[in-house]
Amino acid sequence: MPCVFCAVVAGEAPALKIHEDDDYLAILDIRPFTRGHTLVIPKRHTVDLTDTPPETLAGMVSVGQRIARAARATELADATNIAINDGRAAFQTVFHIHLHVLPRRNGDKLSVAKGMLVRRDPDREATAQILRDAVARIDASQQD
C-alpha cells in the first residue's frame, strides 16, 4: 500500500504546510485533536522508532519544538503535548514515523493523559530488570 506521507512529501497529495526544509515537512493534521495539531514528518521514509535513526528523531523534535513555540506565541496554545504513536498497539495509523504537536489551551477538554496518575506497575523492579537486560542485549549485538 502506498504511503500517504510519502505522497505528501512528493507533492502528490494535498497538505497544509506549516514548515518545510530539506529533511522535514510539518503539516496540519487532517483529523486534529486540537486546533493547530501539526504533524512533523521526515522526508525520508521510515516506519517507526525501531528503524528510524536517532538523528532523524532529534530533528523531528527540534522542528516540533519550533512549532510548539510558535503556537504558544499565538492564541492557539498555552501548552503543548508532543507524541509519537509507535506501532499499531500505540494507535499508529500511518506507518511513516511522525511527531504529533498538539497545541493545548487552558480548560480544553482533550484528555490525552486521562488515568495516568492512578496507574501503577505492581513490580517496578522486575520491569526495570526486563528493560535493562533488553538494552544490554541490544548494545552487545551492535558491538559484534
Side-chain angles (χ1 to χ4, degrees):
M1 181 161 73
C3 173
V4 66
F5 287 167
C6 287
V8 168
V9 166
E12 299 165 356
L16 291 173
K17 295 179 184 179
I18 305 302
H19 166 86
E20 184 172 16
D21 61 32
D22 290 343
D23 300 312
Y24 302 95
L25 180 62
I27 62 173
L28 285 182
D29 193 303
I30 61 170
R31 291 185 295 269
F33 285 108
T34 63
R35 186 172 179 213
H37 178 172
T38 300
L39 305 176
V40 179
I41 305 163
K43 290 184 173 180
R44 183 175 168 268
H45 182 90
T46 57
V47 174
D48 56 28
L49 285 173
T50 64
D51 72 339
T52 302
E55 312 77 54
T56 301
L57 297 171
M60 289 168 55
V61 171
S62 180
V63 172
Q65 181 184 39
R66 290 181 62 217
I67 301 298
R69 187 178 291 129
R72 287 176 91 167
T74 72
E75 73 279 0
L76 293 177
D78 298 314
T80 310
N81 286 115
I82 63 168
I84 294 174
N85 298 340
D86 180 42
R88 192 172 310 279
F91 308 108
Q92 184 178 4
T93 57
V94 177
F95 292 91
H96 180 129
I97 190 101
H98 55 286
L99 177 76
H100 293 262
V101 180
L102 287 90
R104 301 300 303 272
R105 297 287 300 162
N106 289 323
D108 69 23
K109 302 299 181 197
L110 181 64
S111 53
V112 171
K114 187 176 183 177
M116 289 183 92
L117 297 178
V118 297
R119 292 189 184 119
R120 297 289 182 258
D121 184 336
D123 193 348
R124 292 172 30 120
E125 185 54 45
T127 301
Q129 191 60 50
I130 290 167
L131 290 171
R132 284 191 293 264
D133 292 347
V135 168
R137 281 192 307 274
I138 290 168
D139 289 348
S141 73
Q142 291 176 347
Q143 293 176 0
D144 293 337

